[in-house]
Amino acid sequence: MQPKLILPAVVFRDKRKPRPFWPLAAVPENADRSYFRPTRNVKHAMIRIHLRSIILYALLVAALGTLPAEWAAAQGADAPMQISWEVRNRFRLFREERDFLLHTDSDRAGSILASEQALELQSDGRGWARNAVNRLCIDTTGHISEPCTRDNVKESYLTPIDHPITVRVAGQVPVGAICAWSFDVGDGPPQQSTLDCAEQINLRVAYGRATNVTVDVSSGSDAPQRLTTAIEVRDIFIAGLGDSVASGEGNPDRPVALADEGFCFRSYLGSASAQYYRPSRAGYKGGRACEAPDLLQVWQRQSALWFNSPCHRSLYSYQTRTALALAVRYPHVAVTYLPLACTGATISDGLFGSQRARECPPAKSGASCRGTVNAQLPELRAAISAAHRPLDLVLLSIGANDINFSGLVADTIVDAPTERELFTRVGVIGSVDDSRIELQRDLPRGFARLREALKPMVGDLSHVVYVSYANPALADGAPCPGGPAGFDIHPSFNVDPARLAHVSGFVQNEFLPALKALALCQSGILCRNPAGDRMTFVDAHQPVFANHGFCARAESDPEFDRACFSDKGNSFVSDIVAAASQPLVCGRSAGEYRTYLPRARWIRDANDSYFAAMTYPQGLPSALQPSDIHDATWGVLSAVYGGAVHPSAEGHAAMADAALPAVTSVLRLDAAPPPEVTSEPASPMSAAPVPASPVVGTPNAQ
C-alpha cells in the first residue's frame, strides 16, 4: 500500500519569487539575504487571505479531481487538520528540483512503465534525461561532487547533515485561518513564523534527529487549535552493481544525432566494391567516404552522451529508475544513490577487478583514454567508508558476461562466412556448450565469492536485491522467427532461426533458473548459511518480456520505424553512389528516428543500437581495435556496442516496476508507521499570534 501523499505544490503556486525559510544564522553564504525578512504583519495577512481563499479553493477542487481517490480523500474538506510535510528534491543525485518534479508529475500515470511512456511522448521521443544528465551530483567520469550544490545549497552527497523540506497544514483548514509555526531542533530557541495557513513553509531540518513542529491555527472567534508532530527524514543509501543490463546499456542519456547523408564502412572482403553506407553523425565535418579517413577525435565530437561513457551508465537503467521511484513515492525519505554498474562486467573483471572501458568521453583537452574502469566492489567499499554510515541496499544484476552471453548473441546474428570465421578465431563468437560449462563450473564459485564480499557491506544479504534478466528473443511467448529484420544495419547480420531457438532455449530453461538458484541457495547450490545468505530475488518482469522481444512489432510503433525499418530486412540502399547522399530506402532523414518513443519491442535490435548510440568501442583488445573510423571491425561493432539485445527504456521501467515491491519490502517502507500528529486546543497564552522572527515561511517555491 502506498503512503498517503500530500497535495502537489502546484495548487499553491505563487508567482512571486520564492523566499527560503531558514534560521538567519543558517542562511547560506551564496543566498540572497534580501529574502530573509521578518514575517508579514498578521493583520495584513488576514485581509489578503479572504481575497485569495476563493481562488485557492477552486484550485484545490480542480486538483483533487485529478488525483487518486485515497490521496484526494486525505486532502479533502472532511479530513481532519494535520501537519503535512515532504522532503524536497529527495532523489539526491539530481542537482535541481525541476528534474525531480518531472517524475513526481509523471508518476500519476500509475507505474514506472506508464511514467516512462508518458515522458517519452512528452519529449517527442528525445528522452527526459537529455538535459538532466548535465545536472547531477556525479560527473561523467564517475566522480562524486563533494560538496554537491543542489538547488543553490552546498551539500555533502554521501554524508548529508540536513535535508530541505516543505511543511504545511492540510485537511479541514478554516477559511482565513492564520498559522503560528514553531520548529524546535533541540539546540537553541525554536524558530517561529506566523503566516496565513494557505501558505507552505520551506526549511532545512537536521539529519539524524527529530525536529519537533508545533502550529497554532487561529480562525476568527473560534478557539485556536494546536497541532504537533515530529519530522525526521530517513536517508536511504543505495548502490547499484553489475553489468550492462544493470548500467542501462542501450539507452544513452542523450542519443547520437544522425545526418541525412551516408557514412562509408569497409567490408572484410577488402575490395573497392566491398563498401556500404549508413547514416552519418549530424555535425560531423570530416571525411565520409572510405577513401577519406579522419581522426577519431573529430568523429567523437558528435558522440552520444552517457551519464558515464566508460561504463555506458544511463539514467534510464532499472537501477536508477527503482531508486528514483522510491524517492518519488515516499515523501518522507531521501535517496542517496551510488551507481557503479558497468557494461561488460563479470564477477572477476568488473566487480572484483578492473575492466576495459566501453568508450571514452570526448576530451576537449586532447587527453588520452585511460581505457580501464576501476573495480566496483573496492569503489563501493571506499564510498561506504567515506559516508560514515551503513549501506541500506544493493541492486545487482550479474552473470551474463560470465557465461559469455555476448558470444551467444554473435553466434546468432553474424551470418556471413568471412565474419563468422574471423570472429570465431578471435573468440567473439561463443557456443551454448561453452556457456553451459561456465554456468555449471565457474559461476557458482563466483557467486560464493561475491556473497562473502557483500556481507560486510550490507550485513543481511536479503538487502542485496538481485534482479534477473529477461529472455530477449521472445514475442507472443515464442522465440523470434529470425531473419535480417532489425539487424540489416550491417550486411553480415542475419538472425539464424535454428541458432536463435537453441540459444533462447538455453537461456529460458538453464541460465535463468540457474541464476535464481544461485541467488536463493536452492537446487543444490551450497551456501554457508542458507537462511542468511539468500539474496532477495526478482524475476516478476520475465513473463511480460515474453511479448516484447527484439522482433516484436505493432501498429502503434513509431511511424518512422514502420516506414523505414523493413520487416524484410532491406532498409538501406545498397548502391554506394546513391547511399552516399541518402542511405535509407524510405528516402527519409535518419534524424527523424526517436530513441525514446513507445514501441512493442523492449529489446534494442542492432538498428536501434546504431541509430541511438553508434558507439566506437575503445576498450577492446588490440586484435579487435579498429584501425580507423571506416574500418570493417568498427562497422560491425558500431552496430552492436551501443546496446543491441539490451532492454530499452521501457524495458528498464518494467524491470523497475518488478523490483520496486521487493525493495520497499526489504527496506520496510510500508511497514513504518506514519508520523504521529496530535491535535488539541491551544493554550490561552498561545492563542495570540506569535511575534515575527528573523525567519519567513515561503509560498510554493516552484
Side-chain angles (χ1 to χ4, degrees):
M1 181 177 179
Q2 295 184 8
K4 294 180 179 179
L5 302 176
I6 71 167
L7 188 67
V10 70
V11 173
F12 297 110
R13 185 175 299 276
D14 192 308
K15 293 183 179 179
R16 295 167 300 170
K17 188 173 180 180
R19 298 166 297 172
F21 178 98
W22 295 77
L24 190 58
V27 176
E29 294 181 1
N30 60 347
D32 182 353
R33 288 177 174 252
S34 66
Y35 286 102
F36 295 84
R37 299 190 295 265
T39 308
R40 74 184 66 181
N41 183 276
V42 176
K43 180 178 179 180
H44 291 169
M46 293 193 66
I47 294 173
R48 291 180 63 253
I49 191 62
H50 288 289
L51 298 176
R52 296 181 60 199
S53 60
I54 298 175
I55 299 173
L56 291 170
Y57 180 77
L59 290 171
L60 176 62
V61 172
L64 291 177
T66 65
L67 300 179
E70 180 182 357
W71 189 357
Q75 305 295 334
D78 294 333
M81 279 195 302
Q82 57 184 297
I83 298 173
S84 181
W85 64 276
E86 67 174 328
V87 184
R88 300 186 60 183
N89 196 10
R90 49 191 178 268
F91 187 58
R92 300 186 62 248
L93 183 65
F94 289 163
R95 287 180 180 267
E96 298 186 14
E97 189 174 23
R98 57 176 165 168
D99 295 317
F100 179 69
L101 293 178
L102 186 70
H103 292 273
T104 59
D105 291 342
S106 66
D107 186 62
R108 298 174 195 174
S111 66
I112 303 171
L113 174 59
S115 171
E116 173 59 36
Q117 291 169 334
L119 290 171
E120 289 182 350
L121 294 172
Q122 180 179 320
S123 68
D124 189 32
R126 291 175 171 84
W128 57 265
R130 68 191 186 280
N131 296 319
V133 68
N134 289 323
R135 300 192 289 258
L136 304 175
C137 284
I138 301 177
D139 66 23
T140 54
T141 66
H143 293 118
I144 299 172
S145 300
E146 285 287 11
C148 180
T149 301
R150 302 181 67 246
D151 298 315
N152 299 317
V153 178
K154 290 182 178 180
E155 299 178 3
S156 170
Y157 186 69
L158 292 176
T159 313
I161 62 172
D162 56 19
H163 293 89
I165 68 166
T166 293
V167 186
R168 66 185 185 85
V169 176
Q172 194 174 2
V173 183
V175 175
I178 295 297
C179 286
W181 292 91
S182 176
F183 299 89
D184 185 1
V185 296
D187 53 355
Q191 300 296 325
Q192 299 175 331
S193 183
T194 300
L195 65 162
D196 60 67
C197 292
E199 296 191 16
Q200 61 188 28
I201 291 179
N202 296 331
L203 68 153
R204 299 186 74 90
V205 296
Y207 175 50
R209 58 180 174 176
T211 296
N212 295 313
V213 182
T214 301
V215 59
D216 291 339
V217 182
S218 302
S219 177
S221 60
D222 294 342
Q225 192 75 7
R226 169 167 290 185
L227 306 174
T228 60
T229 193
I231 293 176
E232 188 167 5
V233 177
R234 179 182 178 187
D235 194 290
I236 300 172
F237 188 12
I238 299 175
L241 300 176
D243 55 23
S244 54
V245 169
S247 73
E249 176 70 278
N251 301 280
D253 299 282
R254 186 180 298 162
V256 67
L258 299 175
D260 296 349
E261 303 86 6
F263 181 87
C264 180
F265 296 104
R266 300 187 187 94
S267 169
Y268 282 106
L269 297 178
S271 63
S273 61
Q275 300 177 358
Y276 62 97
Y277 278 82
R278 294 297 181 261
S280 182
R281 291 180 174 180
Y284 172 67
K285 304 301 183 183
R288 293 186 294 107
C290 285
E291 294 74 28
D294 209 332
L295 297 175
L296 173 61
Q297 289 79 6
V298 177
W299 181 253
Q300 273 191 308
R301 291 169 190 162
Q302 286 76 40
S303 295
L305 180 62
W306 300 83
F307 167 19
N308 177 275
S309 293
C311 286
H312 277 193
R313 289 181 197 139
S314 167
L315 291 174
Y316 294 102
S317 78
Y318 86 80
Q319 295 189 340
T320 304
R321 295 308 306 267
T322 302
L324 174 56
L326 284 178
V328 167
R329 299 187 182 188
Y330 292 88
H332 294 168
V333 308
V335 174
T336 301
Y337 170 60
L338 183 63
L340 296 172
C342 194
T343 189
T346 66
I347 294 176
S348 177
D349 299 327
L351 293 187
F352 283 98
S354 62
Q355 65 173 98
R356 293 188 178 97
R358 179 64 79 195
E359 64 177 320
C360 293
K364 296 181 180 179
S365 62
S368 60
C369 175
R370 189 161 63 97
T372 58
V373 177
N374 292 335
Q376 296 173 42
L377 290 175
E379 290 255 319
L380 178 57
R381 198 174 293 115
I384 295 172
S385 177
H388 303 293
R389 58 171 171 148
L391 185 66
D392 294 296
L393 190 85
V394 170
L395 292 165
L396 173 67
S397 294
I398 196 73
N401 294 318
D402 298 78
I403 66 156
N404 192 26
F405 183 75
S406 63
L408 300 182
V409 172
D411 182 45
T412 299
I413 70 173
V414 177
D415 196 50
T418 301
E419 281 81 352
R420 284 192 66 82
E421 181 179 348
L422 288 172
F423 288 163
T424 300
R425 189 181 305 166
V426 296
V428 170
I429 291 181
S431 71
V432 167
D433 289 340
D434 290 341
S435 294
R436 184 178 290 118
I437 292 172
E438 299 290 340
L439 180 63
Q440 297 171 351
R441 182 189 62 191
D442 295 338
L443 196 56
R445 289 201 293 260
F447 257 78
R449 186 183 175 202
L450 181 57
R451 289 180 204 280
E452 296 306 310
L454 289 173
K455 280 181 182 178
M457 300 188 203
V458 296
D460 184 353
L461 283 181
S462 68
H463 284 246
V464 177
V465 178
Y466 184 93
V467 180
S468 190
Y469 308 92
N471 191 327
L474 299 178
D476 297 325
C480 291
F487 290 84
D488 52 337
I489 190 70
H490 194 277
S492 72
F493 290 171
N494 181 53
V495 179
D496 181 87
R499 291 196 294 265
L500 176 62
H502 188 42
V503 169
S504 179
F506 168 73
V507 168
Q508 193 70 31
N509 302 321
E510 299 181 54
F511 178 52
L512 296 180
L515 289 176
K516 185 172 185 177
L518 287 166
L520 296 178
C521 301
Q522 295 176 345
S523 304
I525 299 300
L526 299 179
C527 297
R528 291 188 179 183
N529 176 19
D533 287 355
R534 294 189 183 99
M535 301 175 181
T536 297
F537 184 77
V538 173
D539 63 355
H541 54 286
Q542 290 176 354
V544 188
F545 269 84
N547 296 315
H548 295 281
F550 63 74
C551 62
R553 290 174 177 257
E555 289 300 316
S556 58
D557 283 348
E559 194 272 334
F560 177 89
D561 293 29
R562 290 184 281 114
C564 295
F565 289 156
S566 166
D567 58 1
K568 308 241 181 340
N570 55 359
S571 308
F572 301 96
V573 175
S574 58
D575 180 81
I576 62 172
V577 175
S581 58
Q582 175 49 269
L584 289 172
V585 170
C586 67
R588 295 171 62 166
S589 167
E592 295 180 43
Y593 175 82
R594 294 290 180 264
T595 303
Y596 298 110
L597 280 180
R599 291 176 168 86
R601 61 184 181 277
W602 292 354
I603 300 293
R604 302 286 190 199
D605 56 31
N607 294 0
D608 292 325
S609 175
Y610 184 94
F611 275 59
M614 202 191 303
T615 299
Y616 190 110
Q618 295 162 274
L620 293 173
S622 57
L624 290 176
Q625 196 60 248
S627 59
D628 67 72
I629 60 177
H630 299 284
D631 186 90
T633 301
W634 159 224
V636 173
L637 299 180
S638 67
V640 294
Y641 267 61
V645 198
H646 283 79
S648 66
E650 288 179 275
H652 278 283
M655 294 176 70
D657 275 323
L660 188 59
V663 168
T664 56
S665 176
V666 167
L667 296 174
R668 300 182 61 81
L669 287 172
D670 289 333
E676 182 180 1
V677 179
T678 61
S679 176
E680 61 184 7
S683 63
M685 293 184 63
S686 66
V690 177
S693 62
V695 293
V696 62
T698 71
N700 174 16
Q702 296 301 323

